[in-house]
């Protein structure tokens, strides 16, 4: 009896291990969930001032240097890219990062290796260290690498480190300072991307009424930047547009980033009030918005839309709701990684946060599903005006 | 007589050696099929593991796995399947992290307080499954699986919000988590002990002080199980509850006690991370409870066996990084190796057991035949 039980157990366990070895997709969805939910569930109220300042001054050197970019000379720089759990195939940050490193290999001639942590997330620091042993640049995909990158970065001062979606500022220091001269944070000008999806919403709205759902209010104005950009974009194309804005929770209650049920209630109320397109900057809560769009559309027979955030949610959300996702505000992880590597080669890498904005395509909107193809011309024109400075996108609503 | 002893020793060591050899052969085949060079992969793994810093990583990884393995093994010895180690350690982790940050005590007391809280929480939570089993007949497999869900998507998810430290955490690592525990509550690393034997540990690696706690747990587990009346009752009650009931041991009492003890050890699993970082993060190292079941199985529930199993798993886990970075193989090969080792180990043990049985039967038969002068 005893022995049989153990034999059975052994077989079950082996199968489970094999399954977990093969079934990466599932892990990506379950374990890595908080990561695409990256409407920054970082609770630090302080990052705001820095991050808001960063977008404006930082990318400028990039823009000025852009013309002389095409020099596909080979370098002997090598990069160690460390994905978050699940690695390639998540249709989100990891895949985007892979695209960025491949572009860097093709255009800048760098060599690279990839690694991803154990499914339990136990060896991020080890991987960064191993990558640092073998490479000139080490990039961690996702803010979960912040603590480990700061520690490993301090041990390897000659290696450059980049962390996607984290400012890499030490808020424990006084004054607040980058973790180290060799450590960069790859962040995004979310307000500019939100501007474009706001414009798309206003152009597509039949009712003249649209909505915004923020995850958590008062996280140092972090999510308010999404709202400010969205509102400005919508009003630019339609000054009479009516915008309903709401937040799920207020800091220090961080539930709002992972409360699909509450997001769904808010979204349904907005649709009832006549809004036909709702944008969310609420991380994991977005699933509730998509569900609400589906249910409202089916209940009333007239189609309402949702707009996704961070990654192309047409691909990351449930297949059943993707036809209700008009577009998504994209953080272009691929661009940030490419530009960061380039800045190291050019010797212009800045410690601390660098915000990648529209001028380098660091943010943008997705076209999956083809729902915004008819207004692509208008959106591109607006984008050009932002890049040229004709339109200044506000960061506060 | 000595000849027989050597024979028995050979039989005993045959199983694990055969398991490892077969596992290496099977893994090599998988590596070849997946287009990697097995020799290069093994060379990378061995070369990496020969570094002191990697050895610290392996020990740090093996420590929680050992505790988790012992927690599962305590249940197994009583014929109980505690699948709930996962939930028990995460619950103990978050409660100990929270309460540990609320008190101010001298260092030794502070550390003891945190460890006791963790053991108490784990023990009570696991004991609840034991009580359910003996009073309501709920199978502990079902109840512990459900209690896992209660912790992972219930209590821990709720309390991480409730006990959120706000901006303070970002100072130490930019993550969401409970309030950091003061320095006095953190078990210091034991690098200095290691450095007595070798050179200084570099790269900022710290050998966890929980290693000492794990060793103590292992010794206590061994002594209680094999050198006390209670341990005898536990084993006999697990092997045959009816017989030991007749012998005066209440199986119900033993079930509750065994589950509680298992949970107490489970409560210590998360302490390796807590003593390192000082808080419960939004993404604690998870799955250790489930891996512990595999570790206990591979280690045959024996205190030393579980330690060897934990070290093997630690070694394989740590190898995952170097295989990826050097490009020798993909990360998944490590998971496949773990599965293969468990399977081959169980099969090898079973084969050895049958050989031994047959030999004993043959020896007995021979002794019977030559009954007057049976001295072999």
């Amino acid at each position: 009896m005893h022995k049989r039980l153990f034999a059975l157990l052994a077989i079950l366990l082996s199968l489970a291990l094999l399954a977990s070895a093969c079934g990466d997709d599932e892990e990506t969805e379950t374990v890595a969930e908080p990561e695409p939910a990256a409407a920054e569930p970082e609770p630090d109220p302080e990052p705001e001032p820095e991050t808001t300042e960063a977008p404006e001054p930082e990318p400028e050197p990039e823009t000025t240097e852009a013309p002389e970019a095409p020099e596909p000379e080979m370098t002997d720089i090598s990069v160690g890219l460390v994905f978050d759990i699940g690695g390639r195939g998540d249709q989100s940050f990891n895949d985007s990062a892979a695209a960025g490193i491949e572009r860097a290999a093709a255009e800048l001639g760098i060599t690279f290796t990839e690694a991803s942590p154990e499914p339990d997330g136990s060896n991020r620091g080890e991987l960064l260290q191993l990558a640092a042993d073998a490479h000139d640049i080490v990039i961690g995909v996702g803010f979960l690498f912040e603590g480990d990158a700061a520690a490993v970065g301090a041990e390897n001062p000659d290696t450059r480190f980049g962390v996607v979606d984290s400012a890499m500022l030490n808020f424990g220091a006084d004054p607040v300072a980058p973790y180290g001269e060799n450590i960069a944070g790859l962040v995004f000008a979310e307000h500019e991307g939100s501007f474009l999806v706001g414009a798309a919403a206003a152009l597509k709205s039949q009712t003249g009424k649209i909505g915004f759902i923020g995850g958590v209010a008062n996280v140092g104005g972090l999510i308010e930047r999404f709202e400010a950009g969205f509102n400005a974009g919508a009003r630019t194309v339609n000054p009479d547009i009516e915008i309903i804005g709401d937040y799920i929770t207020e800091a220090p209650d961080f539930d709002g980033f992972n409360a699909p049920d509450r997001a769904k209630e808010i979204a349904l109320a907005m649709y009832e009030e006549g809004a036909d397109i709702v944008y969310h900057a609420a991380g994991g809560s977005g699933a509730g918005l998509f569900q609400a769009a589906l249910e409202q559309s089916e209940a009333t027979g007239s189609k309402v839309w949702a707009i996704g955030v961070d990654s192309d949610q047409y691909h990351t959300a449930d297949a059943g709701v993707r036809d209700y996702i008009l577009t998504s505000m994209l953080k272009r992880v691929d661009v940030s990684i490419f530009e960061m590597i380039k800045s190291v080669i050019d010797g212009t890498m800045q410690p601390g946060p660098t915000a990648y904005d529209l001028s380098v395509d660091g943010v943008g909107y997705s076209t999956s599903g083809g729902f915004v193809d008819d207004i692509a011309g208008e959106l591109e024109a607006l984008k050009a005006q932002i890049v040229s400075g004709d339109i200044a996108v506000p960061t506060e609503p | 007589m000595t000849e027989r002893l050597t024979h028995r020793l050979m039989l005993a060591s045959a199983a694990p050696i055969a398991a490892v050899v077969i596992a290496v052969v099977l893994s090599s085949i998988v590596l070849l099929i997946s287009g990697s060079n097995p020799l290069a992969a093994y060379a990378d793994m061995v070369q990496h593991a020969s570094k002191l810093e990697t050895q610290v990583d392996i020990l740090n990884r093996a420590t929680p796995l050992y505790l988790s393995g012992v927690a599962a093994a305590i249940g197994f010895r009583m014929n109980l399947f505690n699948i709930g180690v996962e939930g028990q350690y995460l619950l103990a982790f978050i409660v100990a992290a929270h309460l540990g940050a609320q008190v101010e005590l001298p260092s030794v007391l502070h550390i003891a307080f945190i460890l006791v809280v963790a053991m108490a929480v784990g023990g009570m939570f696991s004991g609840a499954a034991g009580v359910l089993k003996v009073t309501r007949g709920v199978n502990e497999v079902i109840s512990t699986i459900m209690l896992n869900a209660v912790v992972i998507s219930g209590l821990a998810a709720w309390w991480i919000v409730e006990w959120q430290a706000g901006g303070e955490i970002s100072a130490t690592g930019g993550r969401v988590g409970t309030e950091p525990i003061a320095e006095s509550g953190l078990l210091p690393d034991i690098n200095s002990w290691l450095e007595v034997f070798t050179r200084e540990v570099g790269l900022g690696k710290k050998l966890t002080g929980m290693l000492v706690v794990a060793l103590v747990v292992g010794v206590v587990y061994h002594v209680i199980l094999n050198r006390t009346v209670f341990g005898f009752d536990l084993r006999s009650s697990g092997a045959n509850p009816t017989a030991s009931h007749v012998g005066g041991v209440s199986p119900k009492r033993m079930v509750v006690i065994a589950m509680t003890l298992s949970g107490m050890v489970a409560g210590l699993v998360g302490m390796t991370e807590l003593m390192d970082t000082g808080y419960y993060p939004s993404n604690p190292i998870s799955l250790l409870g489930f891996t512990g079941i595999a570790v206990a199985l591979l280690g045959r529930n024996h205190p030393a066996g579980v330690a060897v199993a934990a070290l093997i798993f630690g070694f394989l886990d740590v190898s995952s990084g170097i295989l990826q970075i050097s490009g020798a193989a993909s990360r998944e090969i490590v998971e496949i190796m773990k599965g293969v080792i468990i399977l081959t180990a169980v099969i090898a043990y079973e084969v050895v057991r049958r050989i031994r049985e047959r030999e004993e039967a043959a020896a007995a038969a021979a002794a019977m035949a030559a009954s007057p002068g049976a001295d072999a």
Side-chain angles (χ1 to χ4, degrees):
Chain A
M1 161 68 200
H2 209 89
K3 298 246 156 53
R4 290 236 179 100
L5 179 73
F6 279 115
L8 184 70
L9 253 177
I11 292 166
L12 282 176
L13 274 167
S14 315
L15 288 177
L17 283 168
L18 282 174
S20 74
C22 311
D24 263 357
D25 294 346
E26 270 172 41
E27 272 151 29
T28 314
E29 271 163 33
T30 48
V31 190
E33 213 167 342
E35 207 258 313
E40 246 97 321
E42 289 151 279
D44 26 338
E46 293 118 311
E48 191 31 30
E50 277 298 335
T51 344
T52 12
E53 284 160 34
E56 317 302 341
E58 302 274 7
E60 266 159 38
E62 303 288 351
T63 346
T64 35
E65 275 164 26
E68 37 183 301
E71 30 178 289
E73 95 211 39
M74 298 301 278
T75 85
D76 54 359
I77 297 260
S78 73
V79 182
L81 183 66
V82 185
F83 293 117
D84 209 339
I85 297 166
R88 283 176 185 249
D90 69 345
Q91 300 267 31
S92 183
F93 276 24
N94 286 340
D95 275 352
S96 188
I101 197 88
E102 278 164 11
R103 186 177 149 217
E107 295 181 22
L108 304 173
I110 56 121
T111 54
F112 68 95
T113 63
E114 302 171 356
S116 54
E118 293 286 289
D120 60 12
S122 57
N123 61 345
R124 289 194 180 84
E126 284 169 38
L127 290 180
L128 291 175
Q129 179 59 54
L130 283 168
D133 288 342
H135 300 290
D136 310 300
I137 305 174
V138 176
I139 299 176
V141 182
F143 65 84
L144 289 176
F145 282 95
E146 176 173 335
D148 290 322
V152 177
E155 293 289 331
N156 301 273
D158 296 333
T159 308
R160 310 302 181 99
F161 288 81
V163 175
V164 173
D165 219 21
S166 164
M168 293 311 283
L169 289 169
N170 183 358
F171 292 99
D174 187 28
V176 171
Y179 280 112
E181 284 302 306
N182 57 332
I183 308 175
L186 283 50
V187 293
F188 304 89
E190 291 106 348
H191 55 300
E192 293 189 3
S194 299
F195 183 97
L196 293 182
V197 297
L203 288 168
K204 280 288 205 174
S205 175
Q206 308 282 328
T207 60
K209 207 184 248 193
I210 56 175
F212 169 83
I213 301 178
V216 182
N218 292 331
V219 192
L222 190 69
I223 302 303
E224 281 80 356
R225 288 167 58 209
F226 290 78
E227 185 183 14
F230 181 75
N231 292 356
R235 295 211 170 95
T236 302
V237 298
N238 179 3
D240 298 327
I241 193 101
E242 205 176 319
I243 306 169
I244 320 168
D246 201 355
Y247 285 79
I248 304 174
T249 61
E250 192 165 326
D253 179 357
F254 287 89
D255 259 5
F257 285 128
N258 210 359
D261 50 332
R262 291 160 79 181
K264 186 177 160 187
E265 272 173 44
I266 295 173
L268 283 174
M270 287 178 173
Y271 290 134
E272 282 300 322
E273 276 183 62
D276 58 349
I277 301 176
V278 177
Y279 172 45
H280 84 92
S285 302
L289 166 65
F290 302 146
Q291 196 60 35
L294 167 79
E295 288 180 15
Q296 179 75 12
S297 299
E298 285 183 348
T300 62
S302 66
K303 189 159 187 175
V304 295
W305 294 97
I307 297 178
V309 76
D310 289 356
S311 53
D312 188 349
Q313 297 205 284
Y314 182 86
H315 291 300
T316 57
D318 282 348
V321 300
R322 61 164 55 155
D323 286 338
Y324 300 89
I325 301 175
L326 182 68
T327 176
S328 298
M329 195 286 280
L330 299 179
K331 291 183 185 176
R332 294 283 302 276
V333 174
D334 54 337
V335 170
S336 70
I337 285 177
F338 177 85
E339 295 290 338
M340 187 260 175
I341 294 169
K342 191 162 160 290
S343 75
V344 173
I345 295 172
D346 297 344
T348 57
M349 191 197 98
Q350 302 283 334
T354 296
Y356 296 96
D357 62 7
L358 275 179
S359 65
V360 290
D361 279 324
V363 287
Y365 58 95
S366 66
T367 54
S368 303
F371 306 125
V372 292
D373 288 355
D374 53 332
I375 54 169
E378 280 115 312
L379 295 180
E380 288 304 313
L382 286 169
K383 180 183 155 187
Q385 289 180 53
I386 296 172
V387 172
S388 69
D390 292 345
I391 295 179
V393 182
T395 54
E396 284 170 31
Chain B
M1 203 62 205
T2 45
E3 203 174 299
R4 251 188 91 180
L5 191 68
T6 16
H7 182 69
R8 283 189 55 183
L9 272 176
M10 273 174 63
L11 260 185
S13 51
I17 292 173
V20 168
V21 170
I22 297 170
V24 168
V25 171
L26 286 178
S27 305
S28 307
I29 294 171
V30 175
L31 279 166
L32 280 172
I33 292 172
S34 65
S36 307
N37 177 354
L39 291 179
Y42 298 144
D44 277 345
M45 288 168 76
V46 170
Q47 199 251 333
H48 182 52
S50 67
K51 289 183 202 152
L52 180 62
E53 284 73 23
T54 314
Q55 288 156 8
V56 170
D57 281 339
I58 292 174
L59 288 173
N60 285 344
R61 177 73 183 164
T63 299
L65 285 179
Y66 180 65
L67 289 166
S68 177
V70 168
I74 293 173
F76 285 147
R77 290 312 278 264
M78 177 64 204
N79 236 341
L80 290 167
F81 196 178
N82 181 6
I83 301 193
V85 174
E86 183 77 11
Q88 289 147 20
Y89 93 78
L90 288 171
L91 187 75
F93 186 175
I94 190 168
V95 174
H98 177 64
L99 294 182
Q102 306 302 311
V103 296
E104 274 180 40
L105 290 167
S107 187
V108 175
L109 285 177
H110 199 169
I111 293 168
F113 170 78
I114 291 169
L115 294 181
V116 167
V117 166
M119 290 175 78
V121 171
M124 280 192 284
F125 203 66
S126 174
V131 171
L132 279 175
K133 183 181 173 80
V134 299
T135 59
R136 285 280 163 268
V138 183
N139 188 312
E140 80 281 0
V141 175
I142 308 291
S143 60
T144 51
I145 287 180
M146 295 177 93
L147 287 170
N148 276 344
V150 167
V151 173
I152 295 162
S153 44
L155 294 174
W158 170 33
W159 285 338
I160 185 88
V161 174
E162 207 63 16
W163 297 336
Q164 170 62 39
E168 283 177 58
I169 284 297
S170 61
T172 59
R175 306 201 261 177
V176 182
T178 59
E179 208 162 306
I181 293 172
E183 196 69 35
S184 62
L186 302 182
L187 204 56
D189 67 65
I190 52 171
N191 279 7
S192 52
W193 300 17
L194 191 64
E195 284 159 5
V196 170
F197 303 102
T198 166
R199 63 183 169 85
E200 198 178 328
V201 179
L203 300 175
K205 305 272 185 191
K206 287 183 264 177
L207 181 58
T208 177
M210 284 302 292
L211 180 62
V212 180
V213 176
L215 290 175
V216 171
V217 167
V219 170
V220 170
Y221 169 62
H222 172 76
V223 168
I224 287 189
L225 206 64
N226 299 313
R227 295 278 179 273
T228 66
V229 175
F230 169 78
F232 178 78
D233 288 352
L234 187 85
R235 283 181 292 144
S236 63
S237 188
N240 190 339
T242 320
S244 61
H245 195 186
V246 172
V249 181
S250 160
K252 291 189 173 182
R253 195 171 142 263
M254 295 315 291
V255 166
V256 175
I257 293 179
M259 284 301 282
T260 306
L261 287 177
S262 173
M264 284 170 71
V265 177
L268 292 172
V269 172
M271 294 304 104
T272 313
E273 187 178 358
L274 182 62
M275 291 302 171
D276 179 36
T277 63
Y279 64 97
Y280 180 94
S282 64
N283 58 327
I285 295 174
S286 57
L287 306 180
L288 292 170
F290 297 124
T291 315
I293 297 171
V295 171
L297 195 61
L298 186 60
R300 308 272 288 161
N301 302 327
H302 188 281
V306 175
V308 172
L311 285 170
I312 291 176
F313 270 52
F315 165 65
L316 289 175
D317 281 337
V318 166
S319 300
S320 124
I322 191 69
L323 289 179
Q324 294 182 75
I325 300 284
S326 72
S330 70
R331 193 189 67 70
E332 283 74 15
I333 194 70
V334 165
E335 305 296 320
I336 292 171
M337 281 186 194
K338 284 189 214 164
V340 168
I341 287 180
I342 296 174
L343 256 187
T344 50
V346 169
I347 294 169
Y349 280 126
E350 181 63 19
V351 169
V352 166
R353 189 185 66 85
R354 288 193 185 173
I355 293 176
R356 199 176 283 161
E357 244 171 31
R358 203 174 304 144
E359 283 185 354
E360 273 169 18
M368 293 277 276
S371 47
D375 62 342

Coordinates of all heavy atoms in Angstrom, one line a residue, chain B residues 29-53:
Chain B
I29 N 20.3 11.6 -23.5 CA 19.5 11.3 -24.7 C 18.6 12.5 -25.0 O 18.5 13.0 -26.1 CB 18.7 10.0 -24.5 CG1 19.6 8.8 -24.4 CG2 17.7 9.8 -25.7 CD1 18.9 7.5 -24.0
V30 N 17.9 13.0 -24.0 CA 17.1 14.2 -24.2 C 17.9 15.4 -24.7 O 17.4 16.1 -25.6 CB 16.4 14.6 -22.8 CG1 15.6 15.9 -23.0 CG2 15.5 13.5 -22.4
L31 N 19.1 15.6 -24.1 CA 19.9 16.7 -24.6 C 20.3 16.5 -26.1 O 20.3 17.4 -26.8 CB 21.2 16.8 -23.7 CG 21.0 17.5 -22.4 CD1 22.2 17.2 -21.5 CD2 20.8 19.0 -22.6
L32 N 20.6 15.3 -26.4 CA 21.0 15.0 -27.8 C 19.9 15.2 -28.7 O 20.0 15.9 -29.8 CB 21.5 13.5 -28.0 CG 22.9 13.3 -27.5 CD1 23.2 11.8 -27.5 CD2 23.9 14.0 -28.4
I33 N 18.7 14.8 -28.3 CA 17.5 15.0 -29.2 C 17.2 16.5 -29.4 O 16.9 16.9 -30.4 CB 16.2 14.3 -28.5 CG1 16.4 12.8 -28.6 CG2 15.0 14.7 -29.3 CD1 15.4 12.0 -27.8
S34 N 17.4 17.2 -28.3 CA 17.1 18.7 -28.4 C 18.3 19.4 -29.0 O 18.3 20.7 -29.1 CB 16.8 19.2 -27.0 OG 17.9 19.2 -26.2
G35 N 19.3 18.7 -29.5 CA 20.3 19.4 -30.3 C 21.4 20.0 -29.4 O 22.2 20.8 -29.9
S36 N 21.5 19.6 -28.2 CA 22.6 20.1 -27.3 C 23.7 19.0 -27.1 O 23.4 17.8 -27.3 CB 22.1 20.5 -26.0 OG 21.0 21.4 -26.1
N37 N 24.9 19.4 -26.8 CA 25.9 18.5 -26.5 C 25.9 18.1 -25.0 O 26.3 19.0 -24.2 CB 27.3 19.1 -26.9 CG 28.5 18.2 -26.6 OD1 28.3 17.2 -25.9 ND2 29.6 18.6 -27.0
P38 N 25.6 16.9 -24.6 CA 25.5 16.6 -23.2 C 26.8 16.8 -22.5 O 26.8 17.3 -21.3 CB 25.1 15.1 -23.2 CG 24.7 14.8 -24.6 CD 25.3 15.8 -25.5
L39 N 27.9 16.4 -23.1 CA 29.2 16.6 -22.4 C 29.5 18.0 -22.1 O 29.9 18.4 -21.0 CB 30.3 16.0 -23.2 CG 30.2 14.4 -23.4 CD1 31.4 13.9 -24.2 CD2 30.3 13.8 -22.0
A40 N 29.2 18.9 -23.0 CA 29.4 20.3 -22.8 C 28.5 20.8 -21.7 O 28.9 21.6 -20.8 CB 29.2 21.1 -24.1
A41 N 27.3 20.4 -21.7 CA 26.3 20.8 -20.7 C 26.8 20.3 -19.3 O 26.8 21.1 -18.3 CB 24.9 20.2 -21.0
Y42 N 27.2 19.1 -19.2 CA 27.6 18.6 -17.9 C 28.9 19.3 -17.4 O 29.1 19.6 -16.2 CB 27.8 17.0 -17.9 CG 26.6 16.3 -18.2 CD1 26.6 15.1 -19.0 CD2 25.3 16.7 -17.7 CE1 25.4 14.4 -19.3 CE2 24.2 16.0 -18.0 CZ 24.2 14.9 -18.8 OH 23.1 14.2 -19.1
A43 N 29.8 19.5 -18.4 CA 31.0 20.2 -18.0 C 30.7 21.6 -17.5 O 31.3 22.0 -16.4 CB 31.9 20.3 -19.3
D44 N 29.8 22.3 -18.1 CA 29.4 23.6 -17.6 C 28.8 23.5 -16.2 O 29.2 24.3 -15.3 CB 28.3 24.2 -18.5 CG 28.9 24.9 -19.8 OD1 30.2 25.1 -19.8 OD2 28.2 25.1 -20.7
M45 N 28.0 22.5 -16.0 CA 27.3 22.4 -14.7 C 28.4 22.1 -13.6 O 28.3 22.8 -12.5 CB 26.3 21.3 -14.7 CG 25.1 21.6 -15.5 SD 24.0 20.1 -15.9 CE 23.3 19.9 -14.3
V46 N 29.3 21.2 -13.9 CA 30.3 20.8 -12.9 C 31.2 22.0 -12.6 O 31.5 22.3 -11.5 CB 31.0 19.6 -13.3 CG1 32.2 19.3 -12.4 CG2 30.1 18.4 -13.3
Q47 N 31.7 22.6 -13.7 CA 32.6 23.7 -13.6 C 32.0 24.9 -12.8 O 32.6 25.5 -11.9 CB 33.0 24.2 -15.0 CG 34.3 25.0 -15.0 CD 34.1 26.4 -15.3 OE1 33.1 26.7 -15.9 NE2 35.0 27.3 -14.8
H48 N 30.7 25.2 -13.1 CA 30.0 26.2 -12.4 C 29.9 25.9 -10.9 O 30.1 26.7 -10.0 CB 28.6 26.4 -13.0 CG 27.8 27.5 -12.4 ND1 28.3 28.8 -12.3 CD2 26.5 27.5 -11.9 CE1 27.4 29.6 -11.7 NE2 26.3 28.8 -11.5
A49 N 29.5 24.6 -10.6 CA 29.3 24.2 -9.2 C 30.6 24.1 -8.4 O 30.5 24.1 -7.2 CB 28.5 22.9 -9.2
S50 N 31.7 24.2 -9.1 CA 32.9 24.1 -8.3 C 33.3 25.4 -7.8 O 34.3 25.5 -7.0 CB 34.1 23.6 -9.3 OG 34.3 24.5 -10.3
K51 N 32.6 26.5 -8.1 CA 32.9 27.8 -7.6 C 32.3 28.0 -6.2 O 31.2 27.5 -6.0 CB 32.4 28.9 -8.5 CG 33.1 29.0 -9.8 CD 32.5 30.2 -10.6 CE 32.8 30.1 -12.0 NZ 31.8 30.8 -12.8
L52 N 33.0 28.6 -5.3 CA 32.5 28.8 -3.9 C 31.2 29.6 -3.9 O 30.2 29.2 -3.2 CB 33.5 29.6 -3.1 CG 33.2 29.9 -1.7 CD1 33.0 28.5 -0.9 CD2 34.2 30.7 -1.0
E53 N 31.1 30.6 -4.8 CA 29.8 31.4 -4.8 C 28.6 30.6 -5.2 O 27.5 30.7 -4.7 CB 30.0 32.6 -5.7 CG 30.8 33.7 -5.1 CD 32.3 33.4 -5.1 OE1 32.7 32.5 -5.9 OE2 33.0 34.0 -4.3

